[in-house]
Amino acid sequence: MKGVSLVNAAQSSADPGTKPPARHRASDLLRLLVAPERLYIAALGLTGLAAVVSVALPAAERGELSANMVSATLGAAVGGLSLDTFLLSRPGGWVFSRGRAWVLAILGISVLLSGVAAALFTAAAGVGSYLVGVGSAAGLTVFNTVSSFALRRKSFRTVYAMRAASGAVLVGGYAALYAAGQFDGGLWSLVWLAVQWLSALAVCGLVLRMVSRLGSAPASTATGPDYRADMLAIGNLHVGIFAQMMTLRFNQILVARFVGAGPLGVYALAVAALEFAQAGAVVRAQRILADRDSKEGPDPTKAVVIAALPIALAAVVGLAVLGFLQPEYRHAWILGLFLLPGSLATAAGKSWSAQLLKRRGEKATTVVAIVTAAVAIPAYFGIIPWAGVIGAAVASTLAYAVHAFASRASLRRAQPPNHGTV
């Protein structure tokens, strides 16, 4: 067989005009199109398209939609106990060693806590619907947590394809409301709520099918100290991610409270546009956490930032075009310029933070996140009430830069690797 391969190789090199079979070219093209990074960018692109469609709403109505989204997102981040990241960071065999009862228990608790947290954030914003905030937070928590089981089994394509499909459904729902002449932010929020639960149920079906293929699960081997160690690890990790999410999203709650729904609608549009640039960093961070190989490879952060820059610039240009077409959003591109450096810093920080979590454990990332929040939250309260959305953008960029710098500085410390407390 080796001889045949060598002959074929020689023939190919002797005839440079020879092309691979059409079916091989088609297969290669398909693999390229469904690469996880491209699927994730497609998912973000469809979410971004939904944001563009929502510009048809008056700014105040879009502000109501944005307030519901941020209350739900923060509720899921705070009440979800960061179980998605925790599960991705666990070593191989962890799920079977703990047993289904333990996994389902922590999932149920996190769903309840997410709803409570979303209700509190809705009250703090003073804008939005409790039904949408609480219901969407629960759906987001289910999707994020359950999808982490699929990601542990390297099902990146399937999970990201589901994200893309949900984005397509959301665009379709918004387009239907637009065609029907419905411009009530509350109705658009209900469509968003329905899509969150559609995604959650779809990923639950995927994971249940995976579980059925594995057959009967072995008996749990964990002991009391193991479960206590899990709770400690969740606490250590969640404190950090809670602080990080407050840094990323709490400014929008304060914009709603102190500036109003209209300015929030414009500011949230700029934030959503600049988040396109972070797609590669999100995928890279999940790959770092899901990789069970303890060997340290080259730092991918520089490549992540280089890839993010043109996307961020394109997002600012897109905001300028939208502002020209819809004058009520004419200042969104200016906010995008203020947010652009912070978006690049966030892309770098996500990559470094994932490496830090894997190499030094939850405590290191927690310290970084707390330091960042200690800078960000006072800055938000001090700047947003008098400087409005421009102040929110400036304070956010400052906070994201602090997080990236602190993550990199902590990663560089000569400490022995810590592969987790479990």
Side-chain angles (χ1 to χ4, degrees):
M1 293 296 293
K2 290 182 179 178
V4 173
S5 299
L6 290 173
V7 170
N8 290 338
Q11 289 175 343
S12 297
S13 61
D15 184 8
T18 301
K19 296 181 179 180
R23 66 176 182 275
H24 290 169
R25 294 199 302 271
S27 177
D28 291 342
L29 178 61
L30 180 61
R31 282 196 296 268
L32 182 65
L33 291 176
V34 299
E37 289 81 0
R38 285 177 172 78
L39 285 172
Y40 193 88
I41 291 174
L44 273 184
L46 287 164
T47 303
L49 180 58
V52 171
V53 174
S54 70
V55 173
L57 292 172
E61 295 298 327
R62 191 182 189 283
E64 180 183 356
L65 173 63
S66 299
N68 284 324
M69 288 180 172
V70 73
S71 294
T73 302
L74 272 177
V78 173
L81 302 177
S82 308
L83 290 183
D84 51 344
T85 304
F86 171 77
L87 291 170
L88 282 173
S89 66
R90 294 306 91 189
W94 181 90
V95 175
F96 284 137
S97 71
R98 294 313 188 263
R100 291 179 183 174
W102 175 245
V103 173
L104 291 175
I106 58 177
L107 173 60
I109 292 171
S110 68
V111 170
L112 291 175
L113 291 177
S114 295
V116 172
L120 293 175
F121 283 119
T122 301
V127 178
S129 161
Y130 286 98
L131 170 64
V132 175
V134 172
S136 298
L140 283 168
T141 298
V142 171
F143 179 87
N144 292 337
T145 305
V146 176
S147 65
S148 65
F149 290 104
L151 293 175
R152 282 178 65 90
R153 298 189 61 82
K154 303 296 196 296
S155 297
F156 292 97
R157 285 188 177 89
T158 305
V159 172
Y160 296 155
M162 285 185 173
R163 285 183 180 272
S166 67
V169 173
L170 183 62
V171 171
Y174 285 175
L177 288 175
Y178 176 81
Q182 296 291 337
F183 300 104
D184 180 358
L187 286 177
W188 289 52
S189 297
L190 288 174
V191 170
W192 189 73
L193 165 63
V195 170
Q196 304 318 306
W197 271 104
L198 179 64
S199 302
L201 294 175
V203 80
C204 285
L206 169 67
V207 171
L208 287 175
R209 188 164 63 250
M210 288 181 173
V211 171
S212 66
R213 290 175 180 173
L214 293 174
S216 58
S220 171
T221 59
T223 61
D226 293 323
Y227 293 122
R228 287 192 291 273
D230 284 346
M231 297 305 297
L232 179 61
I234 290 173
N236 288 336
L237 178 63
H238 184 55
V239 168
I241 294 182
F242 163 74
Q244 186 176 354
M245 286 303 299
M246 291 292 286
T247 299
L248 291 172
R249 292 283 184 259
F250 189 64
N251 56 354
Q252 295 187 43
I253 296 291
L254 295 183
V255 168
R257 168 61 68 180
F258 293 111
V259 190
L264 174 62
V266 179
Y267 179 70
L269 176 65
V271 171
L274 269 296
E275 285 181 349
F276 279 111
Q278 302 166 24
V282 172
V283 175
R284 176 56 57 184
Q286 291 181 336
R287 283 187 175 277
I288 290 170
L289 292 175
D291 186 4
R292 302 287 178 254
D293 189 356
S294 61
K295 295 180 180 178
E296 297 180 6
D299 186 355
T301 305
K302 182 178 179 180
V304 166
V305 174
I306 291 174
L309 178 58
I311 301 175
L313 291 172
V316 174
V317 173
L319 289 172
V321 173
L322 283 176
F324 176 78
L325 298 174
Q326 191 80 334
E328 202 169 4
Y329 296 91
R330 63 186 178 276
H331 295 135
W333 74 273
I334 300 175
L335 296 174
L337 281 179
F338 280 104
L339 289 167
L340 191 149
S343 181
L344 298 180
T346 301
K350 286 181 183 295
S351 177
W352 284 328
S353 183
Q355 295 177 66
L356 183 62
L357 174 60
K358 187 170 183 180
R359 296 180 191 177
R360 296 189 54 205
E362 295 89 357
K363 289 184 179 180
T365 55
T366 297
V367 170
V368 169
I370 291 175
V371 168
T372 305
V375 173
I377 303 303
Y380 294 161
F381 275 104
I383 296 176
I384 291 174
W386 65 269
V389 289
I390 294 292
V394 171
S396 297
T397 291
L398 170 65
Y400 303 157
V402 169
H403 180 264
F405 176 80
S407 296
R408 180 59 175 160
S410 183
L411 190 60
R412 280 185 161 182
R413 292 180 185 172
Q415 295 283 348
N418 179 0
H419 301 300
T421 59
V422 181

